[in-house]
C-alpha cells in the first residue's frame, strides 16, 4: 500500500531537517491597493512534504507565484537555504534548486513530449539523454507519447509530464499547485502515489491541494490559508481532525453531518 | 502563366524569409512590429553600401546584412522593448513606438541615400531557363530563390532540432512557464531579435536583387508580410512560410489575370482581408493548443 | 514683414486643418478605443470627392457635403467587417485599407489624374476678389470657424449620454454589453463620424494647398495625426488642438532657422526633411516609453494603458 | 416564496475544444428566490453564467427568461429584458466617475441616440437630472454617494463590488446574476452586502449568485445548486445540500 495509508507513522512525524524555505509576512496583489496576500508566513524543512490548503480565493496560487518570482511581493521576505529570493528572476530562482509545477498551462502544448523534457533538461545541464531516461523511468506512461504534442495529452498524462519537466532539474524543493485538479479519480490516486514516492526519495515538497483530505493524509505538516492570511497550521493528521478546517471549507455542513 | 507562378515563388520565398522574423517576434513578444519592413530596407541598403563602396556582389553582402540587422534589433531590444515589456506597455503603445522606430529608420536611409530608387551596380543579367523548366529567371532571381529556400530550411532546422529553437517555441507557447522552467527569457528574446532582425535584413538583400531599391521598399513589403503571417495564423513560423509563398504567387498571378501591376499590393491586402474574415485564426491556426 | 505674417497665417491654418483631422481620430481612439491607422484614407476621400465634384460643376457646398458623406460611408465599408478584430489586426487592416485607397487614387489616372495631382479647382471666396493675403486671412478664419464648429459638436456629443457610451466601450466593451448597450452600433457611428470629420479636414487641406496629389495622403499623415493626438493626450479635445498648434509651431516655425542653419552645414533640403521625420520617430518612441498618457494627460487618465 | 419560473435553463452544455465545461445542466429559478450556485474550482460555474448571459454561445440546450428564449438573442439584449449580471472581477469603467458609471447603465436614454444628443438638449438635460437623482439615491443606499465624483478606478475592491451592484440596479432588473459578490470583500462589508441582497429580494428582485463563502450562501439562499466537473450534482435547500454526501465529497475530495 502507499504511504497515504500509514496511520500516524513516518508521515505525521515531521523529519527533523534544517529549515529550507522560510517565507515571512508576505503581502502581495495584482491590482494596486488590493492585497490578495495579507501577511502570510510559512516554513518548510528539509525532507518534508508540506501542504497548503484553504478555500478558493484564499490566495494559495498567488503565494506560489510570489515564491517563484512571477509576482513581486509588496512586503515580506523569502529565504531559501539562507538566500533571499525576492527580486531574483524566476530563472535564477529555479537555478537555486526550486522547481514549480503550475496548476494549469503547465506544459508547452505545441512542443512534443520529448521536446518539453529536452528544453528542461538543457536548463539542467549536461547529460540530457540520461536525465530524460530517468524521468521516463519514473513516469513510464510518457514513453509511448514522446512524439505526441503535449497539447494532445490527457489530463493525467499532462500532469505527469509537467512533474517530469520539473523533476528533470533535480530540484531540492518541488513546488506543486493543485496536482490533482481536474483529474479522474484513478489518476488522482496515481499522481498522489508518485508525489509520495518522490518525497520518500528525498525531495522536499511544498504543494497546494484542493483535495484537502488526501493532501493532509499524506503531508507531514499543513497550512490553512483564509482570506490571504494564515488561519491554522499543524501536522497533517491534526488538521484533518480540526473542526475549524472543515468549517473553513463548508461552513457548518460537515459538522452537522457528523452530528 | 507558369512564368508568373515562378516569379511568385521567388517573391514568395523572399516574403517567407522576412515574415519568419515578424511572426517570431510577434509570437514571443506580442509585439506587432511596424518597423520590421524597415529592417528589410536596411538590409537592402547595407548591400548597396557594400556594392557601391567595395564593389562586392550583393550576394556577398548577405552575412554583413544579417549582422547589421541583428545588431540593430539587439540595440532596440535593450533601449526600447525590454523597458516597455517591464512596464507592461499596452499593445497600442507598442504599435505606436514601433511606428516611431520605423519612421526614424526609414528617414535615416533617406538622409544618407536620398529618396530616389537605386540599383546595385553589376553587369546586366539575362533571364535563362531555370532547372530545365519552361520558365526563365535571372541569375539573381535564381540565387534569391535558392538562398531563401536554404534559409527557410535552416530556420526549420533551428526551430525543430536545436535547444534554442525549441526554447523559442516554448516561449511563444507560454512565457511564464518558460521563466519557471528555468529559462532565462531575456536571453532567448535577444536571440529572437537576432534571428528576426537578421533574417529581415537578409530578405532585404535578396529582395533588392529582384528590383530597384528605395527607402519605402520595406514599408511597401510590410503589408504583404502581414498578409502572409495573418494568412498563416499570426505567431506560427510555418504558417508564415506558407503564407509568404501564397501571397507571392497570388500577387504575381493576379497580373496574369489582367490586374494592373500597380495593384499588386492591393491584391495582397485583399487576400489578407478575405483571410481574416474567413479564417480569423489563420489558415494554419487550428494546430495550436492552449 | 508680410512674408512673416504669411508664415504665421500658414502655421495657424495648417494647425487648424490638422486639428480637425485629429479631432476625428480622437473621437475614434481617444473616446471609443478604436485603433484606426488608416485615418488618412478618409481625408483623401473627402479631398478628392469634393475637388472632383466641384470641377464637374457641383456647387461647393454640395461637393463638400458629398466628400464628407463619402468618407463616412467608406469607413463603414471597412468598419463593418473589421471592427470586431483585435487592436493589432485592426491597425494592420486600416493601414492596408488606406494604402489601397491611395494606390487607387494614384493609378486611376482618368478619374484622379494620378500622381500628377489636380491644380486649379474651385476654391471658396473666389468670387470675392481678395488679394492673396486677404484670401489667406479669410481662409484661416474659415478653418478656425470649422475647427470651432467641429470642436463644439464633439464637446456636445462627448459630454452627452452618447459620448458616455463611447467612453464605456473604450474602458470595457464587455461590461458595456452586460449593461444592455448594443456597442457595435455605437462603434460604427463613432468610426463614421470621425471619418466624416477627416473627410472635412481633407477638403480644407485641398483648399490650403490649392493642389492635391496622392503623395499628400501617405501613411505618414496618419502617424502625424497619432503623434499630435498622443502629444496632447488621447481623450482630450482641447489637448488635440493644443497638440496640433504645438506640433506645427515647433516643427514648422523652426523650419526656416533649422534649414538655413543645417543647409549651411552642407545638408540638402531633403536631408533636413528626413532629419525632421527621424526626430518625430524618436519622439514617438520616447513618448510611448515615458509618457504614454501624453504631455498634458494625467496618469490616472492614461490613454494607452490597455 | 416561490412564484413562476423566471429563469429556465434547459439541458445547457458548453464545450471547449473537446472539453465539456458544462454538460446538460437544467434548472429553473422562480421569482423572488435567492438561488446560490456553488462547487469546487473548475466546476464550470462561471462558464454556466457566461452561457446563460450569452457571453458564450451554448453548445447545446435552451435558455428562457420570463418566457423569452434568450440563447438566440444578441448578448446585449438580456439586460433589456431584466436579466443583469456582474463579473467575478468587478468591471467598473475606471476612467469614468462613479456617477457616470451609474448614469451609463440606465436604459432608454434619449441622449444615447446621436440625434437626441444633438437636437433635444432640453429633453436630455431633463432625463439626465432624473437619472442623476435616481443614481444618487442608489449610491446613498450603497453608501457610495460621497464618492460620486471620483473616478471609479479609485475605488477599493469592495466598493467596486458595491458600485457594480448599484449600477446593475439602474436597469431596474427583475433578476441579478452575481458572480462572486463577496470575493475579496472584508467581513464587515460582507454583512452589509448580505443585507442588501435580502432587502432587494424583498423589493421583488430574483437572484442567482455564485459564491465561495459557504457560510454566507447558506445563510441567505433559499435554494442551492451544486456543480462539479461541469454537471449539476445537487439542487435543494441549504439543509438538503449540506447533508448530501456527494457535495461533501466534491469539496473535500472523496475519502478512501
Amino acid at each position: 500500500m502507499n504511504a497515504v495509508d500509514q496511520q500516524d507513522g513516518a508521515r505525521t512525524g515531521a523529519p527533523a531537517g534544517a529549515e529550507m524555505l522560510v517565507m515571512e509576512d508576505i503581502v502581495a496583489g495584482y491590482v494596486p491597493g488590493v492585497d490578495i496576500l495579507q501577511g502570510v508566513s510559512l516554513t518548510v524543512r528539509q525532507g518534508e512534504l508540506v501542504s497548503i490548503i484553504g478555500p478558493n480565493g484564499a490566495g494559495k496560487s498567488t503565494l506560489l507565484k510570489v515564491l517563484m518570482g512571477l509576482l513581486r511581493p509588496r512586503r515580506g521576505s523569502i529565504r531559501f537555504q539562507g538566500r533571499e529570493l525576492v527580486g531574483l528572476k524566476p530563472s535564477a530562482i529555479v537555478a537555486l534548486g526550486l522547481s514549480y509545477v503550475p496548476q494549469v498551462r503547465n506544459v508547452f502544448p505545441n512542443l512534443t513530449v520529448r521536446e518539453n523534457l529536452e528544453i528542461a533538461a538543457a536548463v539542467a545541464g549536461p547529460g540530457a539523454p540520461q536525465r530524460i531516461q530517468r524521468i521516463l523511468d519514473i513516469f513510464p506512461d510518457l514513453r509511448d507519447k514522446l512524439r505526441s504534442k503535449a497539447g494532445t495529452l490527457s489530463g493525467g498524462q499532462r500532469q505527469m509530464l509537467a512533474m517530469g519537466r520539473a523533476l528533470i532539474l533535480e530540484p531540492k524543493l518541488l513546488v506543486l499547485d493543485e496536482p490533482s485538479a481536474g483529474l479522474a479519480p484513478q489518476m488522482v490516486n496515481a499522481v498522489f502515489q508518485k508525489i509520495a514516492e518522490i518525497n520518500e526519495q528525498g525531495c522536499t515538497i511544498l504543494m497546494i491541494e484542493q483535495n484537502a483530505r488526501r493532501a493532509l493524509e499524506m503531508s507531514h505538516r499543513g497550512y490553512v490559508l483564509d482570506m490571504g492570511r494564515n488561519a491554522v497550521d499543524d501536522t497533517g493528521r491534526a488538521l484533518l481532525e480540526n473542526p475549524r478546517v472543515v468549517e473553513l471549507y463548508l461552513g457548518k455542513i460537515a459538522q452537522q453531518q457528523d452530528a | 502563366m507558369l512564368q508568373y507562378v515562378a516569379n511568385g515563388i521567388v517573391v514568395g520565398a523572399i516574403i517567407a524569409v522576412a515574415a519568419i522574423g515578424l511572426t517570431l517576434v510577434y509570437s514571443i513578444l506580442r509585439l506587432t512590429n511596424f518597423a520590421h519592413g524597415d529592417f528589410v530596407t536596411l538590409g537592402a541598403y547595407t548591400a548597396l553600401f557594400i556594392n557601391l563602396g567595395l564593389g562586392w556582389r550583393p550576394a556577398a553582402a548577405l552575412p554583413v546584412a544579417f549582422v547589421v540587422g541583428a545588431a540593430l534589433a539587439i540595440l532596440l531590444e535593450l533601449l526600447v522593448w525590454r523597458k516597455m515589456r517591464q512596464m507592461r506597455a499596452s499593445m497600442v503603445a507598442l504599435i505606436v513606438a514601433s511606428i516611431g522606430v520605423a519612421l526614424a529608420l526609414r528617414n535615416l536611409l533617406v538622409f544618407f541615400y536620398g529618396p530616389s530608387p537605386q540599383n546595385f551596380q553589376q553587369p546586366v543579367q539575362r533571364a535563362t531557363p531555370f532547372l530545365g523548366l519552361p520558365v526563365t529567371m535571372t541569375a539573381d532571381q535564381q540565387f534569391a530563390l535558392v538562398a531563401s529556400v536554404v534559409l527557410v530550411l535552416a530556420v526549420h532546422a533551428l526551430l525543430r532540432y536545436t535547444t534554442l529553437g525549441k526554447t523559442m517555441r516554448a516561449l511563444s507557447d507560454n512565457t511564464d512557464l518558460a521563466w519557471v522552467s528555468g529559462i532565462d527569457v531575456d536571453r532567448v528574446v535577444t536571440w529572437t531579435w537576432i534571428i528576426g532582425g537578421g533574417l529581415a535584413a537578409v530578405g532585404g538583400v535578396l529582395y533588392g536583387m529582384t528590383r530597384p531599391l528605395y527607402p519605402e521598399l520595406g514599408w511597401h513589403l510590410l503589408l504583404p508580410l502581414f498578409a502572409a503571417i495573418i494568412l498563416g495564423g499570426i505567431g506560427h513560423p510555418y504558417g508564415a512560410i506558407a503564407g509568404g509563398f501564397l501571397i507571392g504567387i497570388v500577387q504575381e498571378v493576379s497580373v496574369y489575370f489582367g490586374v494592373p501591376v500597380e495593384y499588386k499590393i492591393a491584391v495582397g491586402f485583399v487576400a489578407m482581408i478575405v483571410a481574416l474574415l474567413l479564417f480569423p485564426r489563420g489558415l494554419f491556426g487550428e494546430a495550436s493548443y492552449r | 514683414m508680410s512674408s512673416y505674417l504669411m508664415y504665421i497665417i500658414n502655421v495657424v491654418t495648417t494647425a487648424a486643418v490638422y486639428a480637425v483631422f485629429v479631432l476625428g481620430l480622437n473621437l475614434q481612439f481617444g473616446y471609443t478605443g478604436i485603433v484606426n491607422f488608416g485615418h488618412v484614407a478618409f481625408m483623401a476621400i473627402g479631398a478628392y470627392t469634393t475637388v472632383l465634384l466641384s470641377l464637374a460643376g457641383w456647387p461647393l457646398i454640395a461637393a463638400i457635403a458629398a466628400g464628407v458623406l463619402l468618407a463616412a460611408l467608406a469607413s463603414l465599408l471597412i468598419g463593418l467587417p473589421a471592427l470586431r478584430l483585435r487592436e493589432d489586426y485592426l491597425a494592420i487592416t486600416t493601414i492596408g485599407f488606406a494604402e489601397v485607397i491611395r494606390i487607387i487614387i494614384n493609378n486611376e489616372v482618368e478619374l484622379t489624374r494620378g500622381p500628377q495631382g489636380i491644380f486649379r479647382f474651385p476654391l471658396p471666396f473666389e468670387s470675392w476678389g481678395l488679394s492673396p493675403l486677404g484670401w489667406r486671412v479669410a481662409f484661416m478664419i474659415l478653418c478656425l470657424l470649422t475647427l470651432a464648429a467641429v470642436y463644439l459638436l464633439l464637446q456636445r456629443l462627448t459630454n452627452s449620454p452618447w459620448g458616455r457610451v463611447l467612453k464605456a466601450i473604450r474602458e470595457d466593451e464587455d461590461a458595456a454589453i452586460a449593461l444592455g448597450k448594443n456597442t457595435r452600433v455605437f462603434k460604427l457611428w463613432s468610426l463614421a463620424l470621425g471619418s466624416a470629420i477627416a473627410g472635412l479636414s481633407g477638403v480644407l487641406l485641398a483648399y490650403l494647398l490649392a493642389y492635391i496629389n496622392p503623395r499628400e495622403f501617405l501613411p505618414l499623415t496618419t502617424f502625424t495625426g497619432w503623434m499630435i493626438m498622443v502629444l496632447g493626450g488621447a481623450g482630450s479635445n482641447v489637448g488635440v488642438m493644443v497638440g496640433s498648434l504645438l506640433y506645427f509651431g515647433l516643427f514648422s516655425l523652426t523650419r526656416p532657422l533649422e534649414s538655413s542653419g543645417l543647409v549651411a552645414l552642407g545638408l540638402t533640403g531633403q536631408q533636413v526633411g528626413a532629419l525632421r521625420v527621424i526626430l518625430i520617430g524618436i519622439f514617438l518612441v520616447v513618448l510611448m516609453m515615458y509618457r504614454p498618457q501624453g504631455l498634458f494627460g494625467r496618469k490616472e487618465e492614461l490613454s494607452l494603458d490597455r | 416564496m416561490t412564484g413562476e419560473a423566471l429563469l429556465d435553463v434547459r439541458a445547457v452544455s458548453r464545450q471547449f475544444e473537446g472539453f465539456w465545461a458544462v454538460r446538460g445542466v437544467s434548472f429553473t429559478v422562480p421569482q423572488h428566490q435567492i438561488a446560490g450556485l456553488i462547487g469546487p474550482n473548475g466546476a464550470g460555474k462561471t462558464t454556466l453564467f457566461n452561457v446563460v448571459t450569452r457571453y458564450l454561445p451554448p453548445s447545446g440546450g435552451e435558455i428562457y427568461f420570463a418566457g423569452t428564449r434568450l440563447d438566440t438573442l444578441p448578448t446585449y439584449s438580456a439586460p433589456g429584458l431584466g436579466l443583469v449580471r456582474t463579473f467575478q472581477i468587478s468591471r467598473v469603467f475606471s476612467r469614468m466617475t462613479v456617477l457616470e458609471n451609474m448614469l451609463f447603465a440606465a436604459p432608454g436614454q434619449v441622449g444615447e441616440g446621436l440625434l437626441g444628443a444633438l437636437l433635444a438638449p432640453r429633453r436630455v438635460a431633463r432625463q439626465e437630472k432624473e437619472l442623476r437623482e435616481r443614481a444618487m439615491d442608489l449610491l446613498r443606499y450603497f453608501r457610495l454617494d460621497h464618492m460620486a465624483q471620483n473616478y471609479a478606478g479609485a475605488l477599493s475592491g469592495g466598493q467596486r463590488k458595491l458600485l457594480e451592484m448599484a449600477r446593475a440596479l439602474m436597469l431596474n432588473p427583475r433578476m441579478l446574476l452575481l458572480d462572486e459578490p463577496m470575493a475579496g470583500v472584508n467581513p464587515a462589508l460582507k454583512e452589509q452586502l448580505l443585507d442588501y441582497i435580502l432587502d432587494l429580494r424583498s423589493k421583488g428582485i430574483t437572484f442567482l449568485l455564485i459564491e465561495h463563502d459557504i457560510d454566507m450562501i447558506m445563510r441567505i439562499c433559499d435554494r442551492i445548486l451544486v456543480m462539479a466537473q461541469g454537471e449539476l450534482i445537487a439542487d435543494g435547500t441549504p439543509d438538503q445540500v449540506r447533508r448530501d454526501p456527494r457535495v461533501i465529497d466534491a469539496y473535500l475530495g472523496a475519502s478512501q
Side-chain angles (χ1 to χ4, degrees), chain B:
Chain B
M1 173 74 184
L2 262 184
Q3 182 62 48
Y4 287 100
V5 173
N7 293 350
I9 289 175
V10 174
V11 176
I14 297 170
I15 290 178
V17 168
I20 290 169
L22 188 60
T23 208
L24 275 180
V25 164
Y26 175 83
S27 69
I28 292 174
L29 299 166
R30 299 287 175 264
L31 167 66
T32 311
N33 187 11
F34 278 83
H36 195 78
D38 298 288
F39 275 78
V40 174
T41 323
L42 180 74
Y45 273 82
T46 305
L48 183 72
F49 176 77
I50 289 174
N51 173 252
L52 298 182
L54 303 175
W56 295 8
R57 296 173 42 147
L62 281 178
V64 185
F66 186 93
V67 171
V68 169
L72 184 70
I74 294 174
L75 188 71
L76 287 169
E77 156 71 8
L78 295 180
L79 285 180
V80 180
W81 306 125
R82 186 166 294 180
K83 182 162 165 47
M84 289 190 78
R85 209 159 54 237
Q86 282 161 0
M87 289 167 46
R88 294 182 182 270
S90 70
M91 188 182 265
V92 177
L94 287 169
I95 290 176
V96 173
S98 79
I99 286 172
V101 171
L103 292 179
L105 205 53
R106 194 178 315 153
N107 283 278
L108 210 60
L109 295 175
V110 176
F111 186 88
F112 287 112
Y113 285 91
S116 11
Q118 308 198 36
N119 283 299
F120 291 126
Q121 280 188 356
Q122 54 183 346
V124 177
Q125 297 176 346
R126 242 165 31 92
T128 54
F130 181 62
L131 293 180
L133 294 168
V135 296
T136 59
M137 290 183 191
T138 65
D140 274 356
Q141 275 181 323
Q142 296 185 11
F143 177 81
L145 178 58
V146 173
S148 301
V149 171
V150 169
L151 284 169
V152 164
L153 291 176
V155 171
H156 167 76
L158 173 91
L159 289 174
R160 191 55 55 188
Y161 302 114
T162 69
T163 304
L164 175 65
K166 290 170 197 165
T167 314
M168 285 167 62
R169 282 161 55 217
L171 231 65
S172 76
D173 266 1
N174 187 338
T175 310
D176 275 356
L177 184 60
W179 270 120
V180 299
S181 303
I183 295 164
D184 186 343
V185 171
D186 286 340
R187 199 181 65 89
V188 181
V189 164
T190 306
W191 275 106
T192 308
W193 277 117
I194 290 174
I195 293 164
L199 281 183
V202 164
V205 179
L206 300 176
Y207 199 47
M209 290 179 171
T210 65
R211 65 201 56 214
L213 272 54
Y214 58 104
E216 272 102 24
L217 179 81
W219 169 251
H220 289 156
L221 191 66
L222 190 63
L223 275 181
L225 285 182
F226 275 132
I229 70 171
I230 288 174
L231 264 171
I234 200 163
H236 298 272
Y238 299 108
I241 294 167
F245 279 104
L246 208 61
I247 289 289
I249 293 169
V250 167
Q251 278 190 1
E252 297 297 325
V253 170
S254 73
V255 177
Y256 173 80
F257 285 106
V259 177
V261 180
E262 299 78 24
Y263 285 103
K264 264 190 208 171
I265 296 182
V267 168
F269 170 72
V270 170
M272 177 181 85
I273 292 279
V274 170
L276 266 178
L277 295 181
L278 296 183
F279 314 97
R281 296 170 62 189
L283 289 176
F284 308 94
E286 59 278 345
S288 83
Y289 299 96
R290 254 177 273 171

Side-chain angles (χ1 to χ4, degrees), chain B residues 26 32 34 79-81 83-84 87-101 103-112 114-115 216 219-220 223 226-227 230 233-234 260 262-263 265-266 269-270 272-273 276-278 280-281, chain C residues 29 35 37 78 81-82 84-89 91-100 102-105 107-108 218-220 223-224 226 230 267 270-275 277-282 284-285 288-290 292 303-306:
Chain B
Y26 175 83
T32 311
F34 278 83
L79 285 180
V80 180
W81 306 125
K83 182 162 165 47
M84 289 190 78
M87 289 167 46
R88 294 182 182 270
S90 70
M91 188 182 265
V92 177
L94 287 169
I95 290 176
V96 173
S98 79
I99 286 172
V101 171
L103 292 179
L105 205 53
R106 194 178 315 153
N107 283 278
L108 210 60
L109 295 175
V110 176
F111 186 88
F112 287 112
E216 272 102 24
W219 169 251
H220 289 156
L223 275 181
F226 275 132
I230 288 174
I234 200 163
E262 299 78 24
Y263 285 103
I265 296 182
F269 170 72
V270 170
M272 177 181 85
I273 292 279
L276 266 178
L277 295 181
L278 296 183
R281 296 170 62 189
Chain C
F29 179 73
V35 179
F37 274 106
I78 187 71
R84 64 195 171 106
L85 300 174
R86 220 175 47 196
E87 291 158 338
D88 47 353
Y89 288 90
I92 296 166
T93 311
T94 47
I95 279 193
F97 179 74
E99 283 291 82
V100 169
R102 191 178 60 84
I103 293 167
I104 291 174
I105 293 173
N107 291 294
E108 294 305 314
L218 289 168
L220 180 63
F223 300 150
T224 307
W226 268 83
V230 295
L267 299 183
Q270 235 155 29
Q271 286 179 316
V272 175
L275 212 53
V277 185
I278 293 173
L279 286 179
I280 294 177
I282 293 173
L284 270 180
V285 175
M288 286 303 103
M289 286 177 71
Y290 296 101
S303 308
L304 298 165
D305 63 347
R306 291 195 48 216

